[in-house]
């Protein structure tokens, strides 16, 4: 164990401690990464907007699909999330017990993945189906009966209320812990007037991200050809501008008041000191607003490309940064939707080893043949593991225990079609795979 830890420490120490260096943590399997989120166990979840999936990168760096077949559409509520169809999932959040919520943009819904069962359901919006079928209705009633119009992002506050950036309805909506939805900002008109007045009377265009800070203030981004701003709604319901303006987003410098900065803000995040971090997407930079309201670039030199790993992030080339998330060490993870897409990490705390990160990654078992006719081989099992095979409605059809290393199980009794194989080892590591019986 000592040798492993010393080796990790030596690698991390090789990066400069005086500047925040950048490295790539994932490339394959991260098609079009949008919003990023860490759960309480240190796993990184991210949505793939055009890939129509929700994915997970565990603490060992292994990426798996947790929702979506990859085919755009709407299906699957009440069954395994991995067998459901999504349509441009974007904003993602988790509740206090680890359930995963995401904005299913083109299905006009907010959907939930139950972390214990893997079952997907709709908790807000009546979709599905494209921009043309989005609508606005339902305030004062259950969110599940309300209509949304291309919700782009979601977030929870400390008491469990869920906030939705209801993009083409030009509103911010709140779903309380009883499931009732109401509008808290936006009068339904595209624009950006009304600052320093009641948020529900203001124009707004919340087509980007939304976050709640540690004191309950709500922040959201507006980005487009004429509005590129970050705005705030305080505890009294007053809306104000934090950064950006209504001009074009072309970069106009750093170390200036954020109010005067030209931005193309898509996603935002907060560090432990409540500094605001911004994906300045078409400026190919990640920027920070400090406690004095001054803006700085912390990653990206303005060139849309991929270079600079192992060197200061501010000198690196990044390409259309998207979602942002901090791990428990305070290191910043960045999605990049440029071609090819990446997830990269800015090492604010390079010598920190997260408490939940294993010293060596555990590879996933190999599963073959797939499709299978009579026998399914599950090889490379690292420890005693329980398995279950479920049908697309979530009903367990077959279950048992696998031994360490190589296994073969009969699937003759399964009906032909799609099934879900779930593996859980004694340390709680989960593997979920789609299998086909022929």
């Amino acid at each position: 164990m000592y040798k492993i830890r010393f080796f990790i420490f030596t690698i991390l120490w090789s990066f400069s401690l005086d500047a925040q260096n950048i490295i790539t943590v994932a490339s394959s399997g991260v098609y079009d990464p949008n919003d990023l989120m860490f759960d309480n166990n240190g796993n990184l979840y991210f949505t793939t907007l055009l890939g129509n999936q929700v994915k997970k990168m565990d603490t060992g760096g292994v990426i798996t699909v947790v929702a979506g077949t990859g085919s755009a559409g709407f299906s699957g509520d009440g069954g395994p999330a991995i067998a459901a169809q999504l349509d441009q999932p974007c904003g993602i959040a988790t509740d206090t017990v680890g359930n995963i919520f995401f904005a299913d943009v083109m299905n006009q819904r907010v959907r939930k993945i139950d972390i214990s069962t893997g079952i997907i359901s709709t908790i807000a919006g009546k979709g599905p189906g494209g921009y043309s079928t989005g609508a606005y209705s339902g305030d004062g009633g259950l969110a599940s009966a309300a209509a949304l119009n291309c919700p782009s992002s979601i977030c929870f506050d400390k008491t469990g209320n869920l906030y939705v950036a209801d993009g083409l309805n030009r509103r911010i909506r709140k779903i309380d812990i009883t499931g009732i939805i109401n509008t808290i900002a936006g009068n339904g008109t595209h624009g950006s007037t009304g600052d320093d007045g009641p948020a529900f009377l203001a124009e707004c265009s919340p087509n980007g991200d939304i976050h709640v800070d540690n004191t309950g203030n709500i922040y959201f981004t507006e980005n487009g050809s004429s509005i590129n701003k970050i705005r705030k709604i305080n505890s009294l319901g007053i809306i104000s501008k934090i950064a950006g303006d209504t001009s074009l987003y072309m970069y106009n410098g750093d170390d200036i008041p954020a109010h005067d900065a030209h931005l193309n803000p898509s996603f935002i995040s907060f560090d432990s000191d409540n500094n605001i971090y911004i994906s300045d997407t078409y400026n190919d930079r990640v920027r920070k607003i400090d406690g004095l309201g001054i803006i700085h670039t912390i990653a990206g030199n303005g060139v849309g490309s991929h270079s600079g790993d192992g060197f200061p992030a501010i000198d690196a080339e990044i390409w259309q940064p998207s979602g942002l998330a901090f791990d428990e060490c305070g290191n910043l993870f960045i999605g990049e939707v440029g071609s090819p897409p990446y997830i990269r990490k800015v090492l604010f705390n390079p010598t920190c080893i997260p408490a939940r990160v294993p010293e060596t990654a555990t590879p996933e078992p190999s599963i073959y043949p797939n499709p299978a006719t009579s026998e399914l081989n599950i090889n490379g099992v690292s420890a005693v593991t329980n398995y279950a095979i479920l049908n697309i409605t979530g009903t367990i059809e077959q279950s048992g225990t696998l031994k360490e290393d190589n296994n073969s199980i009969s699937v003759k009794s399964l009906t032909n079609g799609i099934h879900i194989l779930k593996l859980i080892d004694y340390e709680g590591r989960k593997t979920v795979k789609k299998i086909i019986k022929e």
Side-chain angles (χ1 to χ4, degrees):
M1 180 179 294
Y2 172 81
K3 289 183 178 179
I4 294 173
R5 286 190 179 274
F6 181 78
F7 178 67
I8 294 172
F9 179 82
T10 301
I11 292 174
L12 294 176
W13 187 263
S14 67
F15 298 108
S16 168
L17 300 186
D18 295 323
Q20 294 86 39
N21 291 323
I22 192 168
I23 61 172
T24 295
V25 296
S27 53
S28 62
V30 296
Y31 173 62
D32 196 34
N34 266 252
D35 204 7
L36 310 181
M37 172 202 74
F38 281 96
D39 68 10
N40 292 330
N41 296 314
N43 301 301
L44 179 68
Y45 289 83
F46 60 96
T47 52
T48 66
L49 187 75
L50 299 181
N52 300 302
Q53 292 180 314
V54 178
K55 293 188 174 185
K56 167 187 166 183
M57 184 170 69
D58 67 19
T59 55
V62 177
I63 294 176
T64 55
V65 176
V66 297
T69 63
S71 175
F74 176 76
S75 69
D77 274 2
I82 197 171
Q85 285 183 298
L86 320 179
D87 201 343
Q88 297 190 19
C90 191
I92 189 169
T94 184
D95 64 13
T96 55
V97 297
N99 297 311
I100 301 163
F101 296 74
F102 64 94
D104 198 354
V105 179
M106 292 293 284
N107 281 323
Q108 322 296 349
R109 295 171 181 245
V110 177
R111 301 174 83 178
K112 170 186 173 183
I113 305 167
D114 187 294
I115 199 64
S116 61
T117 65
I119 300 300
I120 193 170
S121 60
T122 293
I123 63 106
K126 296 189 298 186
Y131 291 108
S132 62
T133 59
Y136 173 71
S137 70
D139 276 0
L142 288 173
S144 56
L148 308 176
N149 198 348
C150 294
S152 62
S153 190
I154 57 175
C155 67
F156 283 95
D157 65 17
K158 288 183 177 180
T159 59
N161 300 302
L162 180 65
Y163 297 86
V164 182
D166 197 357
L168 291 189
N169 278 327
R170 320 300 186 190
R171 292 172 168 93
I172 303 291
R173 303 175 80 178
K174 173 184 174 182
I175 304 170
D176 67 22
I177 58 174
T178 68
I180 302 300
I181 191 170
N182 279 292
T183 295
I184 63 164
N187 62 14
T189 303
H190 172 66
S192 195
T193 65
D195 283 345
D196 304 316
F200 68 90
L201 296 177
E203 295 178 343
C204 69
S205 301
N207 57 349
D209 202 7
I210 186 169
H211 266 271
V212 178
D213 70 10
N214 294 334
T215 58
N217 299 303
I218 302 163
Y219 295 76
F220 64 96
T221 62
E222 301 171 306
N223 62 74
S225 59
S226 61
I227 302 172
N228 287 282
K229 296 168 68 173
I230 299 171
R231 298 169 85 185
K232 168 185 168 182
I233 305 166
N234 70 14
S235 59
L236 298 177
I238 302 301
I239 193 169
S240 59
K241 185 184 83 165
I242 298 300
D245 53 30
T246 56
S247 68
L248 292 176
Y249 57 81
M250 300 302 292
Y251 174 77
N252 66 333
D254 276 308
D255 304 318
I256 61 175
H259 268 247
D260 300 328
H262 294 177
L263 300 172
N264 180 240
S266 54
F267 292 87
I268 53 177
S269 190
F270 294 85
D271 65 15
S272 58
D273 294 322
N274 242 16
N275 297 304
I276 305 171
Y277 290 74
I278 310 157
S279 282
D280 195 356
T281 300
Y282 288 141
N283 283 319
D284 297 310
R285 292 173 168 91
V286 175
R287 302 171 82 178
K288 169 186 173 181
I289 303 173
D290 65 24
L292 298 176
I294 304 301
I295 195 166
H296 317 269
T297 292
I298 62 99
N301 62 10
V303 177
S305 187
H306 182 85
S307 72
D309 278 358
F311 295 95
I314 197 169
D315 298 325
E317 295 175 354
I318 62 175
W319 204 341
Q320 295 182 18
S322 54
L324 305 172
F326 284 92
D327 68 10
E328 65 177 304
C329 287
N331 298 308
L332 178 63
F333 285 66
I334 304 168
E336 293 182 38
V337 298
S339 180
Y342 293 90
I343 295 176
R344 297 169 85 182
K345 178 166 70 169
V346 179
L347 297 164
F348 283 99
N349 193 359
T351 60
C352 173
I353 300 175
R356 290 179 286 269
V357 174
E359 293 170 339
T360 56
T362 301
E364 281 195 343
S366 62
I367 299 167
Y368 66 94
N370 193 12
T373 54
S374 58
E375 299 289 326
L376 184 67
N377 297 310
I378 307 173
N379 293 349
V381 175
S382 61
V384 176
T385 296
N386 293 320
Y387 84 91
I389 299 176
L390 301 82
N391 62 25
I392 60 172
T393 68
T395 302
I396 296 177
E397 298 178 299
Q398 187 172 316
S399 61
T401 301
L402 304 175
K403 68 182 189 317
E404 188 169 352
D405 205 6
N406 299 333
N407 299 260
S408 179
I409 59 175
S410 173
V411 294
K412 291 179 180 178
S413 63
L414 299 180
T415 58
N416 290 348
I418 297 174
H419 302 265
I420 306 299
L421 173 68
K422 179 179 286 189
L423 309 175
I424 305 177
D425 72 15
Y426 77 103
E427 291 185 354
R429 290 185 291 255
K430 296 180 181 179
T431 302
V432 180
K433 293 286 186 182
K434 179 171 66 176
I435 61 172
I436 300 173
K437 165 66 187 310
E438 289 185 341

